[in-house]
Amino acid sequence: MQTENEALACQSVYLLHQWIETVFTQPRSEAVLQQLLTSFHPAFTMVTTAGNTVTLDAVQALFHQHAGSREGLRIEIDACTVLATTPDSVLCRYRETHHQAGIAQARWSVALIEVVQQQARWRFLQETAIA
């Protein structure tokens, strides 16, 4: 049985990707963009499928620059599994598949999500492309 923090972290995985899809597909999604950006811890870092490490500043710039630029994008999340928990964080693994123009690109991702006072904030993300 999941703890409350585990459930909040898994819910955050789904919500965050719904918001990403909205930001990328709808040109005027400022309210959703703000929800998305406040979901990241100020010290957030990410390792991309190409092996590059990026900071929150780079992630924020990406969302601002590409808002509304990916019409038809659909992001599917499944297989969300809790790998480990501490009193204030949850480590989740999930599969993320981007569908656009008849092409599907999938990746496995591992996210460290801090949950404090029932608020989930993403601290770290590592993505690995699925060939």
Side-chain angles (χ1 to χ4, degrees):
M1 185 162 158
Q2 280 188 330
T3 68
E4 182 177 7
N5 281 359
E6 290 170 347
L8 287 168
C10 288
Q11 179 184 23
S12 174
V13 169
Y14 290 94
L15 278 174
L16 188 94
H17 289 88
Q18 288 174 0
W19 295 335
I20 291 170
E21 181 180 307
T22 298
V23 167
F24 281 156
T25 60
Q26 298 178 18
R28 301 200 189 282
S29 54
E30 192 61 35
V32 175
L33 178 60
Q34 289 310 309
Q35 285 179 302
L36 173 61
L37 296 179
T38 59
S39 296
F40 295 101
H41 188 280
F44 174 80
T45 57
M46 171 182 169
V47 179
T48 68
T49 56
N52 300 316
T53 301
V54 295
T55 64
L56 179 58
D57 288 340
V59 170
Q60 289 176 331
L62 172 89
F63 290 131
H64 282 288
Q65 290 169 357
H66 296 284
S69 69
R70 297 192 60 193
E71 186 178 330
L73 172 69
R74 185 173 59 83
I75 301 174
E76 176 185 0
I77 300 298
D78 68 353
C80 189
T81 305
V82 172
L83 300 176
T85 61
T86 69
D88 62 357
S89 64
V90 179
L91 187 66
C92 295
R93 179 183 62 217
Y94 59 93
R95 183 174 40 218
E96 174 182 346
T97 306
H98 290 212
H99 301 272
Q100 189 170 20
I103 298 170
Q105 294 179 312
R107 65 195 77 179
W108 283 108
S109 297
V110 175
L112 179 61
I113 302 168
E114 291 186 359
V115 181
V116 178
Q117 297 177 345
Q118 297 186 318
Q119 181 179 4
R121 295 181 76 190
W122 288 54
R123 181 66 187 246
F124 177 78
L125 174 63
Q126 173 135 9
E127 300 180 326
T128 303
I130 300 173

